[in-house]
Amino acid sequence: MQATTPVPRTADLFDQGLEPQASSALLRFGAARQRPAHRISWSGDGAAAWLDAPRGHVWSVGDATAAAGLVLRAAHQLPGRVTEFTGPRGTDTLLVRHLPVTDAVAWVFRWTLREPPVHPAEQRVVVLDEAHHDELLAFLTEHSPAHSTGPGSSAVSLWAGIRDADGRLAACGALSSLRGSGAPLMASVATDAAQRGRGLGAAPTSWLTRYAIRRHGFRTLWQLADNAPAERLYTRLGYRNEDPCVAARIDTR
């Protein structure tokens, strides 16, 4: 009879003592708050990891070496089921020695608990409802083809935007939610390519941040690590920058 590796018993991620530490905001805000009995998770010396089963995605936080060990353990214990991972920066270079890691992308997971200073153009921000979905989709397709979510997504509760002097959409953004926890997430922030550098994108971003904090007490977002304009904007709005991450795929073929 062929031996099989048992699925690890579910651990309580919040018993690991990592959630108050810098670089563990993804655990605080991203781990499922309801702590479902079926959740599969792992813990080690200085790291914790949990599985988003429908996506085959393992999330990990803590020390990069320890986190890489947990992702490797997950891949070995659940062969074929772990196809993606997100971990602290450097996890990918440690794992590539043991797993076929591809398509690594550096991110920063950012968050804020405080309302930002009021942007002068916030009074021009408008809510965009279902009647504007076609306009939003056309705008995002042209000015942000790699947008994270689109109009009509069930994860989005609100779209907001700002128009230029001619009434055309100049910038937009969405109030979405983190998968699993439902934490408020900034998504699909985009600015008309011909009007960048004028601060138009900052107004809906600031407005949406204020909206989320007043209703939820905080706001999170993902930022590409090499996006300097976004880095400046989110820093100015008060988003903390302590969680450099990397996301990658594991080739299971």
Side-chain angles (χ1 to χ4, degrees):
M1 180 181 296
Q2 184 177 3
T4 58
T5 303
V7 173
R9 189 172 66 181
T10 298
D12 187 344
L13 294 170
F14 294 93
D15 282 347
Q16 310 310 316
L18 291 172
E19 68 277 7
Q21 298 180 18
S23 81
S24 293
L26 189 56
L27 173 57
R28 296 198 301 276
F29 300 130
R33 295 176 180 175
Q34 297 180 350
R35 309 180 189 182
H38 64 270
R39 182 183 61 196
I40 299 173
S41 58
W42 300 263
S43 61
D45 186 12
W50 62 100
L51 175 68
D52 178 353
R55 291 178 58 193
H57 194 114
V58 171
W59 300 87
S60 63
V61 299
D63 174 75
T65 301
L70 296 182
V71 176
L72 183 61
R73 186 195 306 177
H76 286 168
Q77 291 178 328
L78 303 171
R81 290 179 58 185
V82 177
T83 59
E84 304 171 348
F85 69 88
T86 296
R89 198 75 51 82
T91 307
D92 56 323
T93 56
L94 293 166
L95 282 171
V96 76
R97 307 169 189 172
H98 309 282
L99 295 171
V101 174
T102 64
D103 304 325
V105 179
W107 294 89
V108 182
F109 182 71
R110 306 185 69 160
W111 79 103
T112 183
L113 307 176
R114 297 182 178 181
E115 293 187 26
V118 176
H119 189 280
E122 277 189 54
Q123 60 183 357
R124 294 169 50 197
V125 172
V126 294
V127 173
L128 302 169
D129 58 23
E130 291 185 8
H132 303 95
H133 278 188
D134 288 345
E135 180 186 18
L136 274 166
L137 181 59
F139 182 83
L140 289 167
T141 300
E142 179 177 358
H143 300 291
S144 183
H147 55 274
S148 58
T149 191
S153 168
S154 60
V156 173
S157 59
L158 180 70
W159 285 92
I162 190 170
R163 299 186 181 279
D164 62 18
D166 296 321
R168 295 173 299 189
L169 194 62
C172 70
L175 173 60
S176 187
S177 58
L178 278 172
R179 184 183 178 95
S181 70
L185 177 74
M186 187 81 71
S188 295
V189 175
T191 303
D192 185 321
Q195 303 190 62
R196 289 173 186 163
R198 303 179 186 178
L200 293 174
T205 306
S206 178
W207 188 93
L208 283 164
T209 299
R210 191 180 324 284
Y211 181 96
I213 289 174
R214 290 183 178 180
R215 285 156 181 78
H216 303 281
F218 66 101
R219 183 72 185 258
T220 68
L221 60 85
W222 286 101
Q223 176 208 314
L224 279 169
D226 60 356
N227 189 335
E231 168 73 24
R232 291 192 295 270
L233 171 60
Y234 296 137
T235 298
R236 192 164 66 248
L237 294 179
Y239 281 87
R240 296 173 67 169
N241 182 356
E242 299 174 2
D243 288 70
C245 304
V246 63
R249 299 182 185 278
I250 298 173
D251 191 346
T252 58
R253 292 174 295 177

